[in-house]
Amino acid sequence: MTEIVTINSMPYDVYADVAMADLYLQANFLASAWFDLTDDQKASLLVTATRTLDRQCWLGEKTDSLQPLEWPRTGTGVEGVEDDVVPEDIVNGSIELAFAISAGNDAVNSSVPGAQALQNIRAGSVSLTYFRGAEGLAAQFSRFPLPVQELVGQYMCSNQTIAGFSGFGTDGTSVTEDDLGYNEGI
C-alpha cells in the first residue's frame, strides 16, 4: 500500500518514505545535495511530492474510496497495474519529484505549469518568438520535470502533451496562448 513519514511527531501518508528515497537516490550522481538534508526535510519534500501527485487526474479509480492517497487504483488500463499495489513508477516518480523540488523545480508553485511559451513560429527563414519572460520555458510543456513525467505520464488521464498551434504556408504565422487539445495542419 502506501508508506508513512513522521514530521514533528505527526504521521503523513506518502508513496515513498525517507529510507526508500535515500536508497533510490543513492545511485543518482546528481543527488549529493539530497544527502545534506535532514530526515525531516526529506520527509517534508516527500509529503509535498505526494500531495502534488495526488492533485493530478489519474486513470481509473481509487481501489478503496476510503484510502488516504490516490494510489493504488483500479481500472487504469495500464498493463501490469495491480488493484492493490502502488506501481513502482508512481513511487519512483514521487521520489524524483521530491528531489526536483529540493533542487528548486517550481512544479508545485508554478501558477501556470506547462504554459505555452511560444508566441510565434515561422517556417520560411525559421523564426521563433516567445511570450515575454518565457524564453527559458521553450521546452517545458509539462507540469513535471522530464524524469517524473517519463515515470508517471502513462498513468495520467492525459498522458500526451500537444502544443496548441498550427503552422501553415511558408511565411504565415500562428499565435496562441492556449493549449487547444489538438494539433491539426491546414
Side-chain angles (χ1 to χ4, degrees):
M1 293 297 273
T2 58
E3 303 295 325
I4 302 284
V5 294
T6 303
I7 305 169
N8 295 328
S9 302
M10 294 296 298
Y12 295 90
D13 293 290
V14 290
Y15 292 116
D17 63 23
V18 173
M20 294 166 70
D22 283 350
L23 182 62
Y24 179 89
L25 290 170
Q26 178 178 309
N28 184 332
F29 179 77
L30 302 174
S32 61
W34 174 265
F35 296 98
D36 293 337
L37 301 172
T38 67
D39 282 353
D40 276 357
Q41 290 171 320
K42 293 175 189 178
S44 291
L45 288 161
L46 290 163
V47 169
T48 302
T50 297
R51 288 177 176 173
T52 302
L53 288 175
D54 270 6
R55 287 193 300 269
Q56 307 314 301
C57 179
W58 300 105
L59 296 173
E61 297 178 11
K62 285 181 170 186
T63 299
D64 177 353
S65 62
L66 299 178
Q67 69 193 40
L69 301 177
E70 290 296 316
W71 286 92
R73 299 180 75 77
T74 184
T76 65
V78 178
E79 188 175 328
V81 173
E82 298 177 39
D83 292 351
D84 58 350
V85 176
V86 178
E88 187 175 345
D89 289 337
I90 299 297
V91 173
N92 292 342
S94 74
I95 295 169
E96 288 282 0
L97 184 55
F99 172 61
I101 295 166
S102 76
N105 182 279
D106 69 347
V108 176
N109 295 324
S110 177
S111 61
V112 216
Q116 173 67 32
L118 284 173
Q119 179 182 32
N120 180 319
I121 187 170
R122 295 182 87 127
S125 298
V126 183
S127 173
L128 297 172
T129 306
Y130 297 96
F131 287 107
R132 189 178 337 200
E135 294 83 4
L137 301 174
Q140 185 178 350
F141 291 111
S142 170
R143 175 176 192 147
F144 298 122
L146 187 57
V148 177
Q149 187 66 31
E150 289 172 340
L151 289 165
V152 304
Q154 68 178 324
Y155 304 94
M156 298 180 80
C157 294
S158 175
N159 61 9
Q160 294 182 345
T161 303
I162 302 172
F165 57 88
S166 299
F168 53 91
T170 57
D171 61 353
T173 60
S174 179
V175 178
T176 181
E177 293 182 64
D178 300 318
D179 181 350
L180 304 175
Y182 67 95
N183 186 4
E184 180 179 298
I186 295 178

